[in-house]
């Protein structure tokens, strides 16, 4: 399903600006994940024992959207609930923090960030702080995008950036067309942590207008 409208916003500028032409138009691939098809991406396991930050751009359609987590259980997960609230379990302890409902707009591409610094966590949606408060400090274990435990995404996830202790550890732009067929999900951070597309065979190429 293509996003068939201009998106007038900046999306993870440090990554996207590299492909902006002089007119301010971006053309790239976006992959629509379908929960019914168990579509998702596996990535090499990362264990985050201290401070970390995750930023992702998502196109939310009003159904549960699991941005990242692990395949073993529902902990260490980052998601958008069907009511537009952002839920985050910062560690394997499973304690969730949650924003108010409707902070993620429907049918728009939004940039969401979760960050843990010491025992304080923040959730930001399109540069607006929607949660700040105490969070658990145990390790987070992440090995999947578009999936948390047995729950899958329904929508588009792109520009997933993971920072560990202030250092960029992973960048999954998710700008692949999956032809070939190719299943490689490129890590463009330079750290060589490529992932794998599971049950994904196609993507849509669209143009967008940025600020």
């Amino acid at each position: 399903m293509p996003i068939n409208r201009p998106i007038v916003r900046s999306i993870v500028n440090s990554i996207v600006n590299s492909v902006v032409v002089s007119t301010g138009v971006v053309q790239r691939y976006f992959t629509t994940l379908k929960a019914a098809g168990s579509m998702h991406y596996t990535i090499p396991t990362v264990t985050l024992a201290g401070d970390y930050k995750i930023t992702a751009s998502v196109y939310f359609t009003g159904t549960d959207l699991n941005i990242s987590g692990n395949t073993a259980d529902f902990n260490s997960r980052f998601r958008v609930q069907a009511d537009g609230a952002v839920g985050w379990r910062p560690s394997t302890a499973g304690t969730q923090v949650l924003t108010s409902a409707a902070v993620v707009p429907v049918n728009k591409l939004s940039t969401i960030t979760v960050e843990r610094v010491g025992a304080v966590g923040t959730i930001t949606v399109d540069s607006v702080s929607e949660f700040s408060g105490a969070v658990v400090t145990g390790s987070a274990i992440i090995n999947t995008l578009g999936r948390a435990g047995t729950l899958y995404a329904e929508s588009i996830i792109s520009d997933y950036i993971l920072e560990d202790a202030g250092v960029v550890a992973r960048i999954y732009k998710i700008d692949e067309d999956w032809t070939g067929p190719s299943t490689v999900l490129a890590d463009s951070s330079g750290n060589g942590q490529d992932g794998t597309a599971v049950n994904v065979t196609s993507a849509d190429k669209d143009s967008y207008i940025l600020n």
Side-chain angles (χ1 to χ4, degrees), residues 34-154:
K34 290 293 184 182
S38 300
M39 298 178 181
H40 66 286
Y41 313 100
T42 58
I43 61 174
T45 298
V46 57
T47 300
L48 303 163
D51 297 346
Y52 71 88
K53 179 180 181 180
I54 298 172
T55 300
S57 290
V58 301
Y59 188 83
F60 173 56
T61 59
T63 58
D64 289 333
L65 171 55
N66 291 283
I67 298 170
S68 64
N70 67 71
T71 56
D73 53 44
F74 298 132
N75 299 326
S76 307
R77 77 179 180 185
F78 173 21
R79 69 191 302 251
V80 181
Q81 297 187 163
D83 64 358
V86 178
W88 176 35
R89 297 186 181 189
S91 81
T92 56
T95 303
Q96 177 172 259
V97 292
L98 188 68
T99 69
S100 300
V103 301
V104 181
V106 178
N107 297 328
K108 293 183 178 179
L109 192 66
S110 296
T111 298
I112 307 173
T113 299
V114 294
E115 182 173 15
R116 181 176 72 186
V117 178
V120 176
T122 58
I123 301 174
T124 303
V125 180
D126 293 331
S127 301
V128 177
S129 178
E130 299 292 354
F131 170 87
S132 181
V135 296
V136 291
T137 58
S139 295
I141 297 175
I142 298 170
N143 62 18
T144 186
L145 309 181
R147 175 180 173 180
T150 56
L151 300 178
Y152 296 89
E154 186 81 22

